Amino acid sequence: MNEESFPEGFVWGVATSAYQIEGAVAEGGRGPSIWDTFSHTPGVVDNDDTGDVACDHYHRWREDLDLMVDLGIASYRFSVAWPRVMPDGRTVNQEGLDFYRRLVDGLLERGIRPLMTLYHWDLPQSLDVGEAGGWLSRDLPDRFVDYALVLGKELGDRVPAITTLNEPWCSAYLGYASGEHAPGRTEDALAYRAAHHLNLAHGRAVTALRDVLPPTADVSVALNLLQVQAASDRPEDVVAAQHADLIANRMFLDPMFGGGYSDELRTSTAGLTDWSFLRPGDEAEIGVGLDSLGLNFYNPSRVGAGPGAPFPGTHRAFFADIPGPRTVMGWPIVPSGLTDLLLRVHRDTGLPIRVTENGLGAQEAVEDGVVHDTDRIDYLHSHLTAVHEAMRQGADVRGYYVWSLLDNFEWAWGYDKRFGLVHVDFADQRRTPKASAHWYADVITRNGL
Ligand code: FCB
C-alpha cells in the first residue's frame, strides 16, 4: 500500500437508508413507522418535511442501481424498512419482502455486493404504543429477533453481510433524551433503558441469525462512536469528556466487546439511571462475537463542563466549540479525528472495520446541468487520506461507504441539507451526478487518491 493507493480488494461503497430514500410510505402493504408519526408532527422537522415521497426510490430503484454501476460502486449499504416487512411489527408482509428480494437480486445482477442494515431507525409504530413502548419495552429485543430471522431466512443466502443496528446512540439518546429524533421523548433516564434494550436486541439477533445464515456470513453493527476530546486540560473538562465517552461510547462498546457494562460506566451514570432494566444474563447475551464493525464518522466532538449545548443524556457534559472550518450542518471538519477513532476502535475490538458512513452535508443546486461540489470532494479526499493513515498505522479497514448515494430526507433537517454524490430534484425526481460523483468514480478506478 503506497501513499496514494489502497490495498487490493478494498471495498468502495455508498450508503443510504430506507426511510430517507424510499417514499411510498402507504404502498405495498407498508405500515407506519415512528418516523412517519414524528415527521408529521408540526415543527419537529425543518420545513415540516416528511419521508412520504423522499427520493421515490421504491419505484425508481432500478435507475438508482444503474447509477451505482456508472460510478463503479462495489458495495451498497442499504437498510430494510421493518414496517414494510412487518407492517404491525409482528406479521410478515410478503409484498414488502419481495421488494427487498428484487433489490438484492438487482444488486447481484449488477455485480454490487449488498450490505444490509436491519434497523436504521424506522420502528413500526405499532411497537411504540403508550408511555413504556418502543425501545423502552423489554419486549422489543424479541420482536427484533423475529424480524431479523425473517430477513436472515429470506435473504441470507444472497446477502453476504448483515448489520443489526445503525447508530444505536442516536436511537437511544436523540430519540429518548434530547427528543430530536423519533419518538421525540425528552427524559435522560429513558435513553439508558432504550440503549440497553437496543444492545440486547443486537446481541440476541446476532445469536439467532447465526443459526440461519451460512457460515461465511459477515455480521456486524454500525456505531457512530464519538471521538471525544476534552475542551481543555482543566480537571473539570477532562472529567466531563470522560463522562461523555462512557455514556456515548462505552455504553455500547463495554457490553458488546468488553464483557459487560463497566464499573466506571455504572459510577459515571449514578443519578442518571438506576440500571433497574439490567437483568442477570443480559450482558452475556449482548457480548456475542461479531465478524466486523461498521463505523460512521462525520466529526469529532469537544466536550467540557460547560457552558455550551448539553450533551444528550446528561447534565454533566456540554459541547464546546472546535475552531476551524465547518459544514453547513455546523459540523467541524477534522479528518484526523477519523484516524484517531479508527485506531481506537482497532485497539478496543481488534475487528475488521468498515467506514460505513462518511460525507458532507451542503445546500446546493444544479447550475447549467452541473453541481460543483468541490467542498464535498475536499472533505472526502481528506477523510480518505485519514483512513489511509489509520491503515498505515495498523487499523484493519476493509471498506469505505460514502454517505450518501442520493440527496435524501436528512431526518430533523429535512431536504434542505444534501449529502448525495447524486443531486435529486425533489420536484421532478431528476437525478444529476455531482462533480463529487465523477471524482469518486475516478478514485474507485484507480483504487486510490
Ligand atoms: C447519520 C445517519 C444517516 C445520515 C447521516 C448524515 O447519523 O446514520 O442516516 O442521516 O448521519
Side-chain angles (χ1 to χ4, degrees), residues 17 20 120-121 166-167 170 296 298 331 357 403 410-411 419:
S17 90
Q20 295 179 276
H120 201 125
W121 309 350
N166 176 69
E167 302 191 353
C170 292
N296 297 352
Y298 293 89
W331 298 353
E357 284 183 28
W403 183 270
E410 181 41 43
W411 307 114
F419 276 87

Side-chain angles (χ1 to χ4, degrees), residues 147-308:
Y147 161 63
L149 279 174
V150 169
L151 269 308
K153 286 179 189 158
E154 186 80 12
L155 297 176
D157 61 335
R158 56 196 78 190
V159 175
I162 298 186
T163 299
T164 55
L165 307 174
N166 176 69
E167 302 191 353
W169 179 82
C170 292
S171 302
Y173 294 92
L174 303 185
Y176 291 87
S178 77
E180 287 159 76
H181 282 185
R185 304 285 295 269
T186 50
E187 254 177 82
D188 288 346
L190 302 183
Y192 296 90
R193 173 177 296 270
H196 177 62
H197 291 155
L198 283 151
N199 283 335
L200 197 56
H202 157 79
R204 286 187 182 167
V206 173
T207 302
L209 281 169
R210 295 280 184 215
D211 281 341
V212 299
L213 295 180
T216 50
D218 178 311
V219 183
S220 61
V221 63
L223 302 176
N224 59 325
L225 295 174
L226 270 68
Q227 211 268 326
V228 181
Q229 316 166 345
S232 79
D233 295 341
R234 292 187 315 157
E236 57 270 39
D237 285 338
V238 172
V239 168
Q242 279 165 352
H243 175 59
D245 180 55
L246 283 160
I247 67 172
N249 296 328
R250 294 196 37 202
M251 185 72 198
F252 304 99
L253 292 173
D254 284 350
M256 286 184 190
F257 306 103
Y261 297 106
S262 62
D263 292 341
E264 289 146 282
L265 174 59
R266 302 283 286 265
T267 313
S268 201
T269 52
L272 293 167
T273 170
D274 60 8
W275 289 84
S276 55
F277 46 76
L278 179 62
R279 305 223 181 131
D282 285 359
E283 287 156 300
E285 286 194 90
I286 301 169
V288 289
L290 296 179
D291 304 299
S292 64
L293 183 68
L295 194 67
N296 297 352
F297 178 87
Y298 293 89
N299 55 269
S301 305
R302 195 161 288 181
V303 174

Side-chain angles (χ1 to χ4, degrees), residues 297-360:
F297 178 87
Y298 293 89
N299 55 269
S301 305
R302 195 161 288 181
V303 174
F311 197 83
T314 184
H315 43 266
R316 290 185 223 136
F318 300 84
F319 288 105
D321 225 37
I322 296 186
R326 286 167 181 276
T327 72
V328 300
M329 310 286 290
W331 298 353
I333 303 179
V334 189
S336 62
L338 179 52
T339 308
D340 296 343
L341 190 60
L342 285 167
L343 289 167
R344 177 209 174 155
V345 173
H346 173 65
R347 274 193 309 272
D348 282 4
T349 71
L351 286 173
I353 305 166
R354 293 187 191 91
V355 177
T356 33
E357 284 183 28
N358 179 236
L360 172 119

